[in-house]
Amino acid sequence: MSKTVVITGAAKGIGKAIAKTFAYSGYNVCINYNTSEEEAKSLCEELAKDGCNVIICKADVTDRKQVDKMIDTVISSFGNIDVLVNNAGISEYKLFIDIDEKDLKRMLDVNILGTFNMTQSVLKKSMLPRKDGTIINISSIWGMVGASLEVAYSTSKAAIIGMSKALAKELAPSNITVNVVAPGAISTDMLKELSDEDMKVLQDEIPLGKIGRVEDVAATVKFLASYEARYITGQVISPNGGLVI
Ligand code: NAP
């Protein structure tokens, strides 16, 4: 029987590449989206045309009721959930002194509460009763080393690492692994606020000499969900071209 993966924020960017990688590997895939409905529908059509087993589910990950409803839909469509990829996230460039409480709360709501909601719902409804599962949380190199002008983002992404390590210990006796993928600079809408000049500076700082592709991150996620990675838990794997070593 095919395994099932739920990926948050999967209509575009890194999430979309992760969805395609799993779909073409024979997984049943739930593509979660919040606002990118058109992109989600067209990705679903593209994958279904190629014979993949895919559904799309709208849910704002900050809203527990919407999350629970989505997880119920996935379970009734595919039976259970084997892999959860918490990819949905937001970022913002601001001086620390300009960040207000609303900015900080929004950042923590999407990046941390969203991960908490999804993880607790999937654990309760599928992984814990079956004592089986793999959770992969998308952090960032900035959660490892901090970024100037991204204090709120770095805070949230560092929290993802702490949450994942603690959870890996708590869930290991239940045969559930939890790992973090912390990408470097990857070409998606998230980098669109950077000028061409900023992008050039960033690229020059990367030892491998290029900005990462969404497929580089998807391949790492796919590996962590594989049978070959069954002895890996509580780890942070960082596809970053050598930017952080
Ligand atoms: P992106 O293209 O901006 O995608 C962000 C995704 O998050 C979108 O699909 C969006 O869904 C989803 N999202 C945001 N708020 C949501 C909410 N409340 N509920 C559900 N989904 C929500 O950015 P990306 O670069 O692919 O980022 C994906 C992940 O990688 C993020 O966690 C990001 O922090 C991380 N990351 C990115 C980079 C990079 O350089 N690009 C580097 C390190 C880490 P809708 O569009 O449907 O609203």
Side-chain angles (χ1 to χ4, degrees), residues 9 12-14 34-36 60-61 87-89 139 153 157 183-184 186 188:
K12 60 187 196 122
I14 291 171
N34 186 30
T35 59
S36 298
D60 179 338
V61 293
N87 165 78
S139 174
Y153 181 70
K157 291 297 181 177
I186 308 296
T188 69

Side-chain angles (χ1 to χ4, degrees), residues 26-228:
Y27 276 74
N28 304 315
V29 179
C30 169
I31 294 169
N32 158 256
Y33 69 97
N34 186 30
T35 59
S36 298
E37 185 169 1
E38 283 314 307
E39 289 90 338
K41 280 183 179 162
S42 99
L43 177 59
C44 188
E45 274 167 29
E46 177 192 333
L47 292 171
K49 233 184 256 167
D50 286 342
C52 301
N53 234 352
V54 183
I55 58 169
I56 57 171
C57 285
K58 176 174 165 49
D60 179 338
V61 293
T62 67
D63 182 326
R64 182 57 182 262
K65 279 199 183 122
Q66 292 184 34
V67 165
D68 282 342
K69 199 169 156 225
M70 172 170 70
I71 298 310
D72 287 341
T73 303
V74 180
I75 290 169
S76 62
S77 304
F78 296 135
N80 51 53
I81 296 166
D82 302 281
V83 182
L84 168 64
V85 184
N86 285 306
N87 165 78
I90 56 170
S91 65
E92 188 174 45
Y93 296 90
K94 260 190 186 178
L95 275 175
F96 177 69
I97 50 165
D98 293 334
I99 298 172
D100 63 24
E101 200 180 320
K102 210 168 128 247
D103 296 331
L104 181 66
K105 194 169 178 312
R106 177 79 192 139
M107 185 72 71
L108 302 184
D109 272 354
V110 177
N111 293 1
I112 304 177
L113 181 64
T115 301
F116 172 90
N117 282 339
M118 285 295 303
T119 303
Q120 209 176 58
S121 185
V122 170
L123 281 171
K124 278 187 182 169
K125 290 174 186 281
S126 186
M127 290 184 180
L128 278 173
R130 296 173 56 236
K131 287 199 180 303
D132 196 21
T134 300
I135 298 166
I136 298 155
N137 294 327
I138 307 297
S139 174
S140 163
I141 48 167
W142 307 130
M144 299 163 72
V145 298
S148 170
L149 292 174
E150 289 190 277
V151 173
Y153 181 70
S154 302
T155 302
S156 71
K157 291 297 181 177
I160 295 290
I161 295 174
M163 187 197 293
S164 305
K165 288 186 176 188
L167 204 50
K169 290 182 181 174
E170 191 168 311
L171 294 176
S174 301
N175 191 38
I176 296 165
T177 61
V178 186
N179 288 292
V180 176
V181 173
I186 308 296
S187 184
T188 69
D189 283 355
M190 203 165 263
L191 295 191
K192 72 181 176 202
E193 275 189 57
L194 297 181
S195 65
D196 288 351
E197 203 187 328
D198 288 340
M199 286 293 277
K200 173 85 179 63
V201 171
L202 187 56
Q203 189 165 321
D204 288 347
E205 281 176 18
I206 299 171
L208 282 179
K210 53 193 174 204
I211 302 289
R213 300 168 313 137
V214 290
E215 291 81 8
D216 298 324
V217 182
T220 310
V221 172
K222 167 85 189 317
F223 166 69
L224 285 171
S226 70
Y227 179 76
E228 286 71 21

